[in-house]
Amino acid sequence: MFRRLQSTGLPGADDSAPTTSSTMFWDFRRETEDQPWTLELQAWASGAWRTPAQADWLAAQGLPVPPPHGAVARAPDQLDRLTSLLAPVCAVSWQALALHEEAVQAHNRGRAHEALAKAEQLMGIAPAWEDARLLQLTLLIQVERDADRAEAALHGLPAGLVAPAQLRALRQSIALLRDDWPAYAAEVRATIDEGDTSWWHFEVLGLSLWAAQELGAARAAFEEGLALHPDHRDLQLRWAEVVAAAGDPEAALARLDRMLADPRPEGPRAHAKTWA
């Protein structure tokens, strides 16, 4: 397990006013929950501290100083004292890091509502922390399935925080919660337009347009995919399905007949779905 506190300077004599404005990192690790946390400070390859003031400050507080490129274990009382002293100069507190970790673990272990409760608690103590906001958004979609709150949380994220592909995936998830197939299709279309022309994007685009009752647009999506992936069985089958659904079973059957006439051992003839 790993946690990193990032401080702006060091607490001053009154434990609140920072003594410097430089950014400092405090890296804590432990292998299991039964072991104490160890602290590491960043050092140059030469063995010199990157920020000597950190080591000096620890020594002045009567706390053990880890050697360069080494770590020193923290007893529980030392850990509590150190994290409390650093709290005023850290953007994200030790408590917030712990809550985030607990929420993620609860979610990974299938305790969805416990994870959401911890994420909401986390937002109460670190509302501006980007990781907390992303976690809350993810759980609002996956656990609470609350499209309105999820969309509000998404709109509240700082610009540039989420990569474009991840942003589209989040918007797609919200569209699914609302059964908003046109919006879902628009996100898939944007993915294709940005250069990702994998065959499955055309399949998903066509299916979402079909779900939106836009059968002509769905057919065009499958045809666009087939222009790039002419031998892809699934796209051919989807084309036949939507053409039949649109009232032209003869055209659909003609394509299926051509697929069944393919002599290749691994061609569409070999797959039961083509016959079905």
Side-chain angles (χ1 to χ4, degrees):
M1 288 179 282
F2 173 77
R3 293 182 194 166
R4 167 174 283 176
L5 287 177
Q6 180 176 324
S7 69
T8 302
L10 296 162
D14 60 359
D15 290 341
S16 61
T19 59
T20 176
S21 60
S22 61
T23 300
M24 302 178 186
F25 298 99
W26 310 76
D27 292 343
F28 296 86
R29 301 177 192 274
R30 66 177 177 181
E31 295 298 322
T32 68
E33 293 184 2
D34 297 331
Q35 294 180 331
W37 287 96
T38 63
L39 172 65
E40 303 170 23
L41 301 181
Q42 293 185 335
W44 300 106
S46 64
W49 296 115
R50 286 180 180 264
T51 310
Q54 280 182 282
D56 295 341
W57 180 83
L58 282 171
Q61 304 303 316
L63 293 168
V65 181
H69 305 297
V72 63
R74 296 284 158 186
D77 60 329
Q78 293 176 338
L79 180 67
D80 290 343
R81 180 164 175 257
L82 175 57
T83 55
S84 296
L85 286 171
L86 290 174
V89 292
C90 288
V92 179
S93 69
W94 183 262
Q95 181 187 8
L97 290 172
L99 265 175
H100 186 279
E101 185 177 289
E102 290 168 10
V104 170
Q105 288 179 355
H107 185 47
N108 291 342
R109 293 170 181 169
R111 301 197 298 268
H113 291 286
E114 177 187 340
L116 183 60
K118 288 185 179 294
E120 300 285 8
Q121 185 182 354
L122 175 60
M123 286 297 295
I125 65 172
W129 185 24
E130 296 168 348
D131 287 2
R133 297 169 76 173
L134 280 173
L135 177 62
Q136 182 202 38
L137 172 58
T138 300
L139 294 175
L140 286 172
I141 292 172
Q142 297 181 4
V143 179
E144 199 71 3
R145 302 185 64 79
D146 189 327
D148 291 338
R149 286 189 66 198
E151 187 164 25
L154 181 62
H155 287 162
L157 293 178
L161 171 62
V162 181
Q166 185 184 2
L167 192 60
R168 286 195 299 272
L170 290 167
R171 288 197 291 254
Q172 282 178 256
S173 297
I174 294 171
L176 278 178
L177 293 178
R178 291 196 167 114
D179 288 331
D180 187 348
W181 293 107
Y184 189 96
E187 297 300 332
V188 182
R189 177 79 260 177
T191 298
I192 294 171
D193 290 344
E194 289 189 6
D196 190 342
T197 55
S198 304
W199 70 266
W200 59 84
H201 288 314
F202 291 102
E203 182 182 32
V204 172
L205 175 61
L207 289 173
S208 55
L209 289 167
W210 192 350
Q213 299 301 306
E214 299 179 26
L215 271 65
R219 174 176 177 167
F222 296 136
E223 289 174 348
E224 184 182 356
L226 284 168
L228 295 173
H229 309 278
D231 291 329
H232 202 281
R233 183 188 76 251
D234 288 344
L235 288 177
Q236 294 185 71
L237 291 173
R238 293 302 190 190
W239 184 93
E241 288 170 347
V242 76
V243 166
D248 191 358
E250 292 80 6
L253 286 168
R255 178 179 286 272
L256 291 169
D257 285 340
R258 291 195 299 273
M259 294 173 69
L260 289 171
D262 189 326
R264 293 174 298 173
E266 297 303 319
R269 178 186 176 88
H271 293 271
K273 188 173 180 181
T274 313
W275 291 97

